[in-house]
Amino acid sequence: MAIDAIGSALTTTNVTSNSALNQEDFLKLFLTELNYQDPLEPLSNRDFLAQMAQFASIEQTKQTTESVNNLVYLNSSSQSVSLLGKKVEVANGAELVTGVVSSIAFTNDGLSIDIQKADASYLRGVTLSQIQLIRN
């Protein structure tokens, strides 16, 4: 899902990677390493502890990233809700469209804002990043 902010040209996407190791994969790798290590020169306990600490650090970083992404989404949602009933200028291709925010939809693709123009027609599917100016 894309997350953007008012007037922002950049978006953040939440991508789940299938190549990331989870705890089960780590344990399988760990047991395989134990099975195939050289009995005359086994790995030291220090090496195993270092590997476990690295995995714990990676897992903590992953959880932190997910938490930050959730906070960014909540901020984006709060920004959009505060726009209801406000007059805005929206970049629609090469032109600027002025209108009042009439509705906001939370979809799987992100936020979708509908703008009612002065001629009573609607501009649908506007994103936060398209909004250039907010007026009362």
Side-chain angles (χ1 to χ4, degrees):
M1 167 181 1
I3 302 171
D4 50 20
I6 295 173
S8 173
L10 301 175
T11 59
T12 304
T13 54
N14 188 6
V15 178
T16 305
S17 172
N18 290 332
S19 64
L21 287 176
N22 61 25
Q23 280 185 319
E24 187 176 321
D25 294 333
F26 175 76
L27 290 175
K28 286 179 185 177
L29 181 65
F30 187 69
L31 289 174
T32 302
E33 187 175 9
L34 281 175
N35 285 334
Y36 290 103
Q37 73 176 336
D38 184 358
L40 300 176
E41 293 183 29
L43 291 175
S44 69
N45 288 340
R46 192 175 301 159
D47 293 334
F48 285 125
L49 287 175
Q51 287 178 356
M52 291 175 75
Q54 286 174 343
F55 182 75
S57 175
I58 289 170
E59 189 67 27
Q60 184 65 39
T61 301
K62 179 181 164 189
Q63 290 175 358
T64 302
T65 301
E66 288 174 2
S67 296
V68 168
N69 284 341
N70 289 338
L71 285 173
V72 168
Y73 180 73
L74 287 173
N75 185 38
S76 178
S77 299
S78 176
Q79 280 184 346
S80 63
V81 169
S82 70
L83 292 174
L84 279 170
K86 295 214 174 154
K87 190 173 186 178
V88 294
E89 284 186 11
V90 177
N92 187 24
E95 67 175 325
L96 280 178
V97 176
T98 302
V100 176
V101 176
S102 62
S103 68
I104 298 167
F106 297 90
T107 67
N108 290 338
D109 296 329
L111 298 169
S112 178
I113 301 170
D114 293 341
I115 309 291
Q116 184 176 12
K117 299 189 279 185
D119 64 358
S121 66
Y122 286 90
L123 178 61
R124 302 195 185 278
V126 174
T127 63
L128 283 175
S129 61
Q130 290 176 273
I131 296 174
Q132 301 296 312
L133 181 66
I134 303 168
R135 299 182 183 163
N136 282 332

